[in-house]
Amino acid sequence: MAVKFPEHITLDEAWGILSSAFEGYSEKFKTKLEISAALGDILTEDISASRNVPHYAASAVDGYALRASDTAGATPATPARLPEGRWQWMNTGAALPDWADAVLMVEDSSQEEGELVVYRSLTPSANVRPLGEDVMAGQIIAREGEPGTPALISLFLCAGIDEVPVKRRVRSLFIPTGDEIISREKWLVQESQRSGTVAESNSLFIAASFKRWGFEVDVAPILPDVPQILREYVEKGTAEYDLVLVGAGSAKGRRDHTIEVFEELGEVLFRGVRMKPGRPAMAAVIAGKPVICLPGFPMSTAVVLWSLVYPLLRQFAGESGDLRQLVRESLGVKDIMETRLLVQHSSSAGIEEWLRMKVARVGDRLYSWALTSGASVLWALAESDGIAMLPASALECERDTRVDVWMTRGVDLDRRVLFQGSDDPAIQLLVTPIRRRGADFASRAVGSMGGLAALSRGECHLAAAHLLDEDTGGYNDVFIERFSKGQKWARILVFYRTQGIIVQSGNPKGINSFHDLCAKDIVFSNRQPGAGTRVLFDHLLKEEGVAPEKIKGYAQICTTHMEAANRVYTGLADATLGIKSAADALGLDFIPITEEPYELVVPEEYLEHPGIRALRASLEDAEWRRKVEEMGGYRWPN
């Protein structure tokens, strides 16, 4: 059967198809609303006042209405005296008598024997709000394209207007689907969930995004992977709403039924967009309404929201613009920074890629690097400073490649330090005390060797190391001398920490020594080359006389202590080498092997950097030290 719709198209092609299909759709939203219901809605015409505001001449003060000519020459020394019948008491806002043309403030007068004594001469219209002072009948008081504001709504009433022409708000519906999706309530109530299930978090992201954009969205109950049920909800949704979003079901698995429902109920516009993430996106016209399928993974959902849903909402509002500019609006981009890639990045051929980026300035270089790129990873989006869109032509982006980052977060780059080096949970706990001291701390876990190499290349402000020298049994000295190349690097001994073997709770494999680890049939979770823990492990293997290839899982690489420990926790490995705090955090057993010094290394030129000063002060922070001690496996230097 021939496919009747485009597949695997570019983002620009997808937007072109979608925007053309609903060209002129914005006319459907033109209506008239009672003024109190028009708050936030966009006016579709200029609005003119029907009445003068105020509609009469009014006193602007408490005092006396009179003729200005009767006060000529009046001063405190030579007051004018007016008999009864030539003046009248006025409260503020009262209508001025026809015969009067001014109002004397009460403090500029007195009364004696029925006469008004006037101590100030007035000119006509003094202290009088003239008819139409605020607004004249026929005057334009609001213009097309402006939103209804509290001030305008109040003014409309005063100007004799009860209804205004507006674009009503788009009514949108999100339908989450999937047998594996767990509702928010059930997810939070149950401490443990069965494997293969996920929290239905996409509706929270979608609703929050709509709210930030000034729109609203309703959320349907979670639907099972049953075509008939989805069909019923899509039919009902397109009857009641202007825009329907369907969550997941866009792939080609046995439980992915969205495409067949779209084909049965309407016309599919396209399926599959050549971008990463967001590739499974598709759209259809059903009952004359746009229906967009959002891929299930959170980052994929986000990308399709930014690149297709938000531009469509703006089109419904009668606004148009360059797609990339609309995407930046959807993201809330504060600035565009030209950066240089800190590390190489590879992209798939012909695919436009969305990267979650972190940014730091070292010296006169502005660097950026991509955070975890998986479509299911939410942390990277929450942690990122901005987004970079790599074009489909970008295959291999070498280190130092120029990349524009759309900054979605304000960052004081002059007060942020970039740390590269050995990972440790205690170091990550420093971010908050550093921020409390007015600076910032960005980090990359690249291992001890990688951190010193980055420091040598001028690609960070500080590194951390715990590298064992096999020849001397000492730590760090030889390696710092090698990488510093004569530069002056300050060293800060933060703490001593316990390294050992991390095994599953209860130690089911009976691993009680490094010899056991090598002799037993186990799966090991290793660290990356250059990590201090990897150097220690290789040294211990050599002492034991065991070749690395004899260790099952030796090539299984993790970049942090917590990642390696998590593999043990989930049963993907039987053991790993790591620090006690990582084992304790996951309730795993720990067999201590050695204690090692953990040092920060800082070029002397950066010692007065605001971020380094805040870091050094934070190392003495009592709350931070208490948290480190509670983690266990650390000892402070004497």
Side-chain angles (χ1 to χ4, degrees), residues 466-470 475 499-502 511 513-520 522-558 561 564 574-578 593-594 596:
H466 58 101
L467 290 164
L468 172 67
D469 179 15
E470 291 184 300
Y475 278 84
Q499 284 265 31
I501 304 169
I502 299 174
I511 301 170
S513 65
F514 194 81
H515 175 77
D516 290 343
L517 188 151
C518 298
K520 291 179 179 288
I522 66 148
V523 176
F524 185 76
S525 182
N526 206 358
R527 294 292 303 281
Q528 77 273 34
T533 303
R534 172 69 170 264
V535 171
L536 174 62
F537 183 63
D538 289 345
H539 169 70
L540 294 173
L541 283 179
K542 188 180 295 185
E543 283 192 335
E544 195 69 25
V546 176
E549 57 268 21
K550 297 295 183 182
I551 301 297
K552 191 183 299 183
Y554 183 84
Q556 188 182 89
I557 302 302
C558 299
H561 287 283
D574 299 308
T576 188
L577 199 64
I593 290 180
T594 189
E596 62 183 10

Side-chain angles (χ1 to χ4, degrees), residues 563-601:
E563 182 186 353
N566 253 302
R567 285 185 172 271
V568 176
Y569 177 76
T570 56
L572 295 175
D574 299 308
T576 188
L577 199 64
I579 55 178
K580 185 177 185 298
S581 60
D584 289 350
L586 297 174
L588 301 172
D589 284 3
F590 183 79
I591 300 96
I593 290 180
T594 189
E595 187 180 63
E596 62 183 10
Y598 183 94
E599 288 187 280
L600 296 179
V601 186

Side-chain angles (χ1 to χ4, degrees), residues 323-383:
L323 178 59
R324 295 315 189 263
Q325 177 57 37
L326 290 171
V327 171
R328 289 192 287 270
E329 284 180 17
S330 72
L331 285 162
V333 171
K334 304 177 185 301
D335 193 9
I336 300 176
M337 292 187 174
E338 185 184 87
T339 68
R340 294 177 181 271
L341 278 183
L342 193 59
V343 292
Q344 178 186 7
H345 182 82
S346 299
S347 289
S348 303
I351 302 295
E352 193 168 27
E353 186 170 8
W354 301 66
L355 301 179
R356 287 143 280 186
M357 307 297 286
K358 203 80 175 171
V359 176
R361 179 184 289 119
V362 183
D364 59 357
R365 284 289 182 98
L366 186 58
Y367 288 112
S368 68
W369 62 97
L371 300 177
T372 309
S373 60
S376 62
V377 177
L378 273 174
W379 173 85
L381 181 57
E383 179 69 13

